[in-house]
Amino acid sequence: MINWIKWLVVGAVLLLSIAAAAVYTTLYLSLPKLDGNSATYHVTQPTQLSRDSLGHAVVNADNLFDAAYALGFAHGQDRFFQMDLQRRAASGNLSAWIGSAALDIDKNARFHQFEQRAQTVFENLPSKQQELLIRYAHGVNEAIDEYTTLPFEYIAAGMEMTQWRPTDSILVIYSMYLDLQDGQVKLDLARTALKDTFGDDIYRFITQQSHFQAALDGSELPLSDAPIPEYPSQFKAADESKNKSENSDTQAYNNRSINGVLPNDLARYTGARYADPRYSRARYTYRGIELPDIGSNNYAVSGSITHTGAGLLANDMHLSLRVPVIWYRTQLNYSDAGQNVSITGVSLPGLPGIVVGTNGDIAWGFTNANLDNVDWVALNSDTETTTVTETIPLPSGAHEYTMEVSEFGPVKTLNGKRYALNWVAHHEFAANLAIVDFGGAKSVDEAIDIGKRIANPTQNLVMVDSEGNTAWMPGGAVLHREKASYTAISEDEMRNNPPRPATMLPLVKNPVSNRLWTANARVIAAKDVSRLGDGGYALGARGRQIRDRLFEKDTFTETDFYAIQLDNHAQFLIPWHNLLSGLLTMQNVEFKPDLTYLNTWGACACDDSVGYTLVKHFRREVVQTLFGEILSSLDEQGVQSRTLLRGIEPATWQLIQNQPSSWLPKGTDTFDELLVDAYRRAKHKLLDKYSPLEANMDMLNWGSVNTLTVKHPFSAQIPLIGDKLNMAPVPGFGDTYMPAVQSTGFGASERFFVSPGHLDNAILTLPGGQSGHPLSDFFTAGFDDYATQAATPLLPGDIIYSRTFYKKEEE
């Protein structure tokens, strides 16, 4: 019997070993070939693709078109799965992989008909840009043709790899529109629903300006002096009914005991969650998640305040973080118009060229500008529309998606009324490849001229040059407006302002302060807001903190700029900390342990701070208590109200400071009671999630609550070894509303610091490796520097692999 069991175990181990070996062999066979020579019809001169120890792709080519081919080949080898996801996300074809769980995502993409629009954009590009996309696509396809075994993602999903088309690169640009401006599309509809449902007073109250303003010219928009409106009357009857039910629940609960101890006593003795049902009651459970002050940071100083005399640029674009990381280390070396070009930075797999980088003479970076590029058009009742049916493939079968289209754009129905969407992304001037021209720019002035031609989601474009000049401008496609609108417009208004690209955009060059900063909040002058609008500006606290840091020193280096990017000082939350500490001090017996954590919070999003966690979640719960019912009612209408949370701070503090009784939930007598109850609920939720058994508040340290986990999309679906696809967890050190932006799956997608002409000191740190292949030497290479906040050099190191492409002679 014992021998039988032993051999059974040995057999099972042997079978597992064989299976593991088969998996390893399959993965190994799909590794790309990095050395050797190849012949191709798609280069004109010998072209070299090399890699250093990080996998940094270094291309040496005779011209830009040959360089585009080699970059496409590199992207195809290292990142084709990522590229495939990007084009599928924009075209509405994720469900073919993921199944019906992705149908809503695909329907949202199909609503914009990007696949058809990509073809139109491509046909209208200059011939040079068309050729770049064609050469790039040839490089991608020749790379994937070399696979002897499909990459594991395709094996796991049971999908085939399909060829890359030139128009797929346009889809990648559209995927960035969805990432960077889809919130703006939802915001204008949410504003419309808010105004139509609750009237002008509530609308103006919730969307008012804040004092967190840091425009480049120092101009400020006027703050509201309107009285606080009454809480919406339509909720009062429901509140009374709900309150009666909860009071009954509370009485029944208080008559119970656990082992002879009343619930409230039990909660006090354990320091655990507050047991009384009153303390788990908010006015309404808001299902939305707080929309944080996320985005990107971009700042620069002129040569007069650097050690080198050249300008100095910092850029960290905040995006969702995943495996593989979104950006790809690239250096392109080629000749253009008789000039040698060497441009180093990050490329986006799916596109030829460098997105953010430097050519040694200039450097440039981006943050999302949030200018208003959306109009929802309220259609007349008799306006004719057409019906379009889209077929969305599924792993088995297909789903038919039907939508309405009008002369103004695709149509959405809200509360029985139809609205057509006019979005800059829907027009042929929304996308081009003019960004590749930065490679030949010698000065900020030349870069400005290029910035006027680029077409992508509108960005804050910040530029510096080796002569010490700096400049900012909106770079990308901007809709022309005589006057921007924040809620739906009429058909007549739309006809009087037909879609066309804006001209005469603002520009700031060599400011007297020698400093520039952007962080997704308003940086345009107040006088330009009526024309360029507010497409969902960040609150401004982060931008103001960066501005203040730039005025704390008289000279700067790359290391100084890195320190600003890692600034996790909780300036924004200090008033909330003071409020909470004062409230709990008045009830010292109950909250004595809590006050200890608050008194040692460090005023930072530091990994060991429990007090920071308590303050942050207290604020979130207060916002939910005050506005959850209003916002949830908008969600029930089919809009995404969470987009309104970005500007909720001024209204929240007005309520706290003025304490209008109509905003108190039934059964709550004072604002102090409301606020303390909100804190109890926040603490209750935190302990339930992070220490459900012990109710140990030490477990609420910010490093654990906000641990960064950079994951592969398929890791959760692969048993036993799925976690091996993820990067190692990193204790949380930053948060929202501060320069060091980080959440559990979101943060700086690159950390870039450069002074043109002095590239030996330049830094480029990425939150992941170059390759998406788990057996590649480059899968995690570079991530440790990101996790430990070290400085990875921008320039590539010694070459360890090299591939040369020769022109194949026509047969």
Side-chain angles (χ1 to χ4, degrees), residues 573 576-577 580 598 601 611-619:
L573 283 182
W576 286 97
H577 172 268
L580 180 58
L598 291 173
W601 80 310
Y612 183 87
T613 305
L614 298 176
V615 174
K616 177 186 174 67
H617 285 262
F618 165 63
R619 175 186 176 270

Side-chain angles (χ1 to χ4, degrees), residues 68-86:
Y69 167 87
L71 181 58
F73 197 94
H75 286 167
Q77 285 189 313
D78 291 334
R79 298 291 191 86
F80 187 73
F81 169 64
Q82 173 191 349
M83 296 162 60
D84 207 350
L85 283 180
Q86 294 278 91

Side-chain angles (χ1 to χ4, degrees), residues 226-479:
I228 297 173
E230 291 285 305
Y231 189 75
S233 59
Q234 53 262 60
F235 294 128
K236 289 183 177 178
D239 240 355
E240 290 173 0
S241 173
K242 184 178 179 214
N243 185 60
K244 289 178 182 177
S245 173
E246 286 172 343
N247 284 341
S248 175
D249 291 343
T250 300
Q251 186 60 46
Y253 195 91
N254 284 340
N255 288 335
R256 296 171 59 236
S257 67
I258 300 175
N259 295 332
V261 181
L262 290 176
N264 289 344
D265 294 330
L266 180 66
R268 268 198 300 276
Y269 293 153
T270 62
R273 299 157 292 287
Y274 224 81
D276 190 325
R278 289 178 301 166
Y279 301 121
S280 64
R281 171 186 54 77
R283 172 180 272 132
Y284 196 92
T285 302
Y286 180 44
R287 300 298 180 187
I289 301 172
E290 178 187 10
L291 188 69
D293 189 56
I294 58 177
S296 305
N297 300 331
N298 201 0
Y299 42 99
V301 296
S302 69
S304 62
I305 55 174
T306 68
H307 292 288
T308 64
L312 181 61
L313 172 76
N315 189 227
D316 55 316
M317 296 177 282
H318 302 148
L319 294 165
S320 296
L321 303 182
R322 59 179 181 269
V323 176
V325 65
I326 186 170
W327 305 115
Y328 187 81
R329 295 176 181 276
T330 304
Q331 183 180 83
L332 302 180
N333 302 284
Y334 57 91
S335 297
D336 186 40
Q339 299 289 323
N340 290 329
V341 174
S342 181
I343 178 172
T344 310
V346 292
S347 58
L348 177 62
L351 289 172
I354 303 292
V355 176
V356 167
T358 179
N359 65 3
D361 294 310
I362 67 163
W364 69 96
F366 294 112
T367 68
N368 207 17
N370 291 322
L371 303 183
D372 183 22
N373 275 302
V374 167
D375 282 318
W376 284 96
V377 183
L379 299 181
N380 299 329
S381 59
D382 59 351
T383 297
E384 293 185 0
T385 61
T386 57
T387 299
V388 174
T389 299
E390 296 269 338
T391 300
I392 302 175
L394 293 166
S396 177
H399 176 84
E400 299 294 322
Y401 168 58
T402 301
M403 55 181 285
E404 277 187 275
V405 177
S406 75
E407 63 176 295
F408 306 108
V411 176
K412 182 179 179 66
T413 300
L414 180 66
N415 290 333
K417 188 167 182 60
R418 298 175 302 162
Y419 297 91
L421 176 61
N422 173 39
W423 180 19
V424 68
H426 291 173
H427 303 293
E428 63 185 54
F429 56 83
N432 66 30
L433 293 182
I435 194 171
V436 301
D437 295 336
F438 279 131
K442 298 296 184 182
S443 67
V444 155
D445 285 336
E446 292 182 21
I448 289 169
D449 290 339
I450 296 166
K452 294 176 181 178
R453 302 197 306 269
I454 63 176
N456 44 246
T458 316
Q459 300 292 293
N460 290 306
L461 169 59
V462 175
M463 302 154 282
V464 300
D465 66 24
S466 59
E467 298 300 314
N469 299 298
T470 62
W472 161 88
M473 64 180 294
V478 181
L479 277 176

